[in-house]
């Protein structure tokens, strides 16, 4: 499979068919020093959310010049923006979640504090650049057209207000225990057929679960409590269940 890379500076590539050491340092380094590309090698480059199959003409000390650009028509992105809201997790668990969620089509990840959060986010903002690099690498590997956003919003649960273009769900294990099995599918199907809805925001609790007061807060903000099947899922697994279900119901049916 042809390697794909996201450009930091799209303009020089689109206008000059060039990737330079100065304006696209990471991609330049990877192509020239890691992959050791040469004339006529082909790579995929993403510029302004469009992918191009690019043939290399020449490699110099400071520039890689391309001779041919061919737009790749295929769009791998979900038609609905998928935002997941999760608690900070132990570092390796969170990094694994970020990688796999990107592969499954997430658009945005919001980290926030819950009453029962096991991991506190005292240093989370300092780690955001590292998390962004993980998201970028996963987006390149899975041949996405966009790199998901990630941010930390300490009081998201208390401040969230859904707009007319958003729908919201909250994964709640009590719904599953009570035998509820249809709200997840029905909500995703409703989002699919409603042209006004552009984004689905899904909230997932920490290892300790979501408190009753948090469920009430979210329900009052029009979030629908849904079950994720009869089995208990880990905090890092539940968002992947949702993203897989959304792909099945929106893209494959």
């Amino acid at each position: 499979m042809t390697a794909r890379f996201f450009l930091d500076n799209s303009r020089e590539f689109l206008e000059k068919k060039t990737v330079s050491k100065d304006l696209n340092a990471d991609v330049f380094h990877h192509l020239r020093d890691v992959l050791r590309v040469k004339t006529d090698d082909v790579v995929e480059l993403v510029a302004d959310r469009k992918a191009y199959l690019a043939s290399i003409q020449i490699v110099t000390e400071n520039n890689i010049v391309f001779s041919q650009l061919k737009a790749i028509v295929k769009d791998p992105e979900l038609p609905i923006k998928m935002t997941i809201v999760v608690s900070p997790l132990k570092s390796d668990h969170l990094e694994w979640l970020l990688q796999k969620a990107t592969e499954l089509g997430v658009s945005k990840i919001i980290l926030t504090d819950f009453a029962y959060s096991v991991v506190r986010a005292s240093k989370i903002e300092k780690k955001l650049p590292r998390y962004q690099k993980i998201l970028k690498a996963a987006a390149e590997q899975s041949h996405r057209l966009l790199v998901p956003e990630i941010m930390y919003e300490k009081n998201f649960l208390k401040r969230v207000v859904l707009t007319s273009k958003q729908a919201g769900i909250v994964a709640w294990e009590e719904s599953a225990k009570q035998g509820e099995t249809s709200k997840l599918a029905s909500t995703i199907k409703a989002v699919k057929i409603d042209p006004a809805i552009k984004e689905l925001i899904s909230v997932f609790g920490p290892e300790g679960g979501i408190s009753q007061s948090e469920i009430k807060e979210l329900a009052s903000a029009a979030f629908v409590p849904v079950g994720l099947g009869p089995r208990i899922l880990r905090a890092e697994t539940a968002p992947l269940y949702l993203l897989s279900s959304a792909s099945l119901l929106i893209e494959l049916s």
Side-chain angles (χ1 to χ4, degrees):
M1 181 179 291
T2 306
R4 174 170 290 194
F5 301 94
F6 286 85
L7 295 171
D8 295 322
N9 187 304
S10 297
R11 185 173 180 178
E12 72 161 2
F13 172 70
L14 296 175
E15 294 182 357
K16 302 178 182 179
K17 296 184 180 179
T18 298
V19 169
S20 71
K21 184 177 182 179
D22 291 335
L23 299 180
N24 283 291
D26 288 345
V27 174
F28 177 86
H29 166 69
H30 202 94
L31 292 177
R32 183 179 183 274
D33 303 324
V34 179
L35 295 182
R36 299 181 181 275
V37 295
K38 55 187 181 300
T39 300
D40 295 331
D41 282 353
V42 175
V43 297
E44 292 184 12
L45 299 174
V46 179
D48 291 342
R49 202 179 164 175
K50 292 183 180 179
Y52 298 87
L53 198 62
S55 177
I56 295 172
Q57 181 179 23
I58 188 171
V59 180
T60 70
E61 187 175 339
N62 296 304
N63 296 285
I64 299 175
V65 181
F66 299 87
S67 59
Q68 296 181 26
L69 306 182
K70 181 181 179 181
I72 299 173
V73 178
K74 181 180 178 182
D75 185 352
E77 300 300 330
L78 281 159
I80 303 295
K81 181 179 180 179
M82 302 296 295
T83 295
I84 60 173
V85 182
V86 297
S87 171
L89 306 171
K90 292 180 180 178
S91 185
D92 56 338
H93 291 217
L94 179 57
E95 291 179 7
W96 182 84
L97 169 59
L98 297 179
Q99 182 185 72
K100 301 309 173 186
T102 300
E103 293 176 14
L104 290 171
V106 74
S107 302
K108 185 176 182 180
I109 302 106
I110 298 174
L111 304 174
T112 193
D113 295 332
F114 291 79
Y116 299 148
S117 290
V118 175
V119 177
R120 293 299 172 181
S122 57
K123 298 180 180 179
I124 200 72
E125 292 181 336
K126 293 182 179 179
K127 296 181 179 180
L128 290 179
R130 170 177 170 77
Y131 295 153
Q132 195 66 59
K133 288 183 179 180
I134 292 171
L135 294 170
K136 182 179 181 181
E140 290 174 339
Q141 182 276 324
S142 54
H143 281 218
R144 298 278 303 272
L145 288 180
L146 62 84
V147 179
E149 301 175 68
I150 186 167
M151 62 184 62
Y152 171 60
E153 293 188 21
K154 180 178 177 64
N155 297 312
F156 173 87
L157 299 182
K158 295 181 179 180
R159 296 177 179 175
V160 62
V161 176
L162 294 175
T163 71
S164 59
K165 296 182 179 181
Q166 297 172 322
I169 61 175
V170 50
W172 194 35
E173 63 181 32
E174 292 302 319
S175 292
K177 289 179 180 180
Q178 295 166 10
E180 184 275 305
T181 60
S182 62
K183 288 184 180 179
L184 175 62
S186 62
T187 301
I188 293 175
K189 289 177 180 177
V191 167
K192 177 182 179 179
I193 64 175
D194 187 346
I197 301 299
K198 306 299 182 184
E199 179 181 9
L200 178 62
I201 302 176
S202 305
V203 179
F204 302 88
E207 293 94 330
I210 299 182
S211 70
Q212 288 282 354
S213 62
E214 289 169 335
I215 287 293
K216 290 180 180 179
E217 285 180 342
L218 288 166
S220 67
F223 280 76
V224 179
V226 302
L228 299 181
R231 291 163 292 280
I232 301 299
L233 303 179
R234 290 181 179 271
E236 66 268 27
T237 307
L240 305 184
Y241 183 103
L242 176 279
L243 292 168
S244 298
S245 299
S247 176
L248 175 63
L249 294 171
I250 294 174
E251 296 180 305
L252 304 179
S253 62

